[in-house]
Amino acid sequence: MPEERRTTLAAIAAEAGVSLPTVSKVVNGRRDVAPATRARVEQLLHQHNYSRGGMRRHRRSGLVDLVFNGLDSPWAVEILRGVEEWGSANSTGVAVSAVRHGDARPTSWTGTLASHDTDGVILVTSELTNSQLGQLRSAGIPLVVIDPVNPPPPEIPSVGATNWAGGLSATEHLIGLGHRRIGTIAGPGDYLCSRARVDGYRSALERDDVSFDPALVRHGDFHHEGGFARGGELLDLADRPTAIFAGSDQQAFGVYEAARQRGLRVPEDLSVVGFDDLPVTRWASPPLTTVRQPLSEMGRTAAQMLGDLVDGGTLRASRIELSTELIVRESTAPPAG
């Protein structure tokens, strides 16, 4: 071990109140260290910007981590499917976990990843803080993000879909059917993909000289509950919308239930468009018109980018956006009357 690195580890050991061999065990991902001790050492390694990248470049674990913001959504399965396909073709295992938000604990989820053997990380629909990014960098762990909540630094590769174009095509379809009171239920307001879909919705209204009404824009959570609650709010308006563009298929199904409880029929009384094209959409009653987001392909693309980084290759682009496509089914029709 070079003298400078040995001195750094010795300083960390002294500050943590442990032996130098204990710090070495943490650096090398050994498991025979008490969790509290590991957490303290990992925190100090991060504070001292100690880099383990050189050590990692000389070995491969044959394992990548796929970290989701949450695992309770069908679209997570579709992304996992794409990553698994790449892993199977490249003899690489995939470890799946859900992110733990914030840095209140001594080590965040990034500290946990830094403490075990992983060739790289794919992070899905989560916010990446400077502190977390610093931990991954100091550990020499390659990173690719899918649908990041906040704009990642330019050097961090990312994969997404054409969310603006998807919002545009969904709204233009409804306008083409004759709708003028069109509501939208986006995802969380701080998500980049949510804002892009709403921007596409607004652009479609402007292109066709349809007045924009802020009362028709609501923010949900991408889940059934959000679609049901926000859809109910829209349908209870005195001048309710005749169509709703939901920012996810799950929210669209929440709108279905909100309409049913109010005695409204889809599409006779209310047209509904979703976003994602999950497998279940074609079996819904009625089958859902939706914007297809190539989720499995997004997973495969991110995994391939990560594989190139692990192998020391150069990416042709740091940001890849895959095309969305409007899939017209039976949940949309001209407005009644």
Side-chain angles (χ1 to χ4, degrees), residues 161-314:
T162 53
N163 291 295
W164 181 88
L168 180 80
S169 63
T171 310
E172 285 186 334
H173 169 66
L174 294 170
I175 293 172
L177 291 172
H179 294 278
R180 294 299 179 268
R181 289 286 291 172
I182 302 172
T184 186
I185 304 172
D190 58 345
Y191 280 32
L192 284 176
C193 58
S194 297
R195 298 201 297 269
R197 292 169 196 176
V198 172
D199 287 345
Y201 156 84
R202 292 195 61 170
S203 294
L205 297 179
E206 292 171 3
R207 286 187 180 187
D208 288 276
D209 294 323
V210 178
S211 60
F212 169 71
D213 184 352
L216 295 180
V217 178
R218 304 296 164 106
H219 286 279
D221 56 6
F222 283 146
H223 298 290
H224 295 89
E225 293 81 3
F228 175 74
R230 303 290 86 77
E233 292 172 1
L234 290 173
L235 296 177
D236 288 340
L237 292 174
D239 186 11
R240 67 171 178 82
T242 60
I244 293 177
F245 163 45
S248 72
D249 291 341
Q250 286 184 283
Q251 288 190 152
F253 292 141
V255 173
Y256 271 30
E257 179 60 16
R260 187 194 69 80
Q261 291 190 10
R262 288 160 176 79
L264 300 174
R265 299 165 300 166
V266 177
E268 292 85 354
D269 304 311
L270 177 71
S271 288
V272 181
V273 179
F275 201 107
D276 285 332
D277 194 27
L278 298 174
V280 69
T281 55
R282 69 191 66 183
W283 303 108
S285 181
L288 179 65
T289 295
T290 186
V291 177
R292 179 181 180 272
Q293 183 173 206
L295 297 169
S296 292
E297 188 178 352
M298 288 163 64
R300 283 194 301 272
T301 300
Q304 183 59 60
M305 293 173 75
L306 184 63
D308 291 342
L309 290 175
V310 171
D311 291 337
T314 301

Side-chain angles (χ1 to χ4, degrees), residues 77-125:
V77 176
E78 296 303 307
I79 290 176
L80 173 59
R81 192 190 315 278
V83 176
E84 283 280 10
E85 288 176 359
W86 174 87
S88 177
N90 291 272
S91 302
T92 301
V94 180
V96 180
S97 60
V99 69
R100 293 183 298 172
H101 290 290
D103 292 316
R105 300 183 182 183
T107 57
S108 65
W109 59 272
T110 46
T112 302
L113 293 178
S115 68
H116 73 245
D117 281 343
T118 183
D119 288 337
V121 178
I122 300 172
L123 179 64
V124 186
T125 317

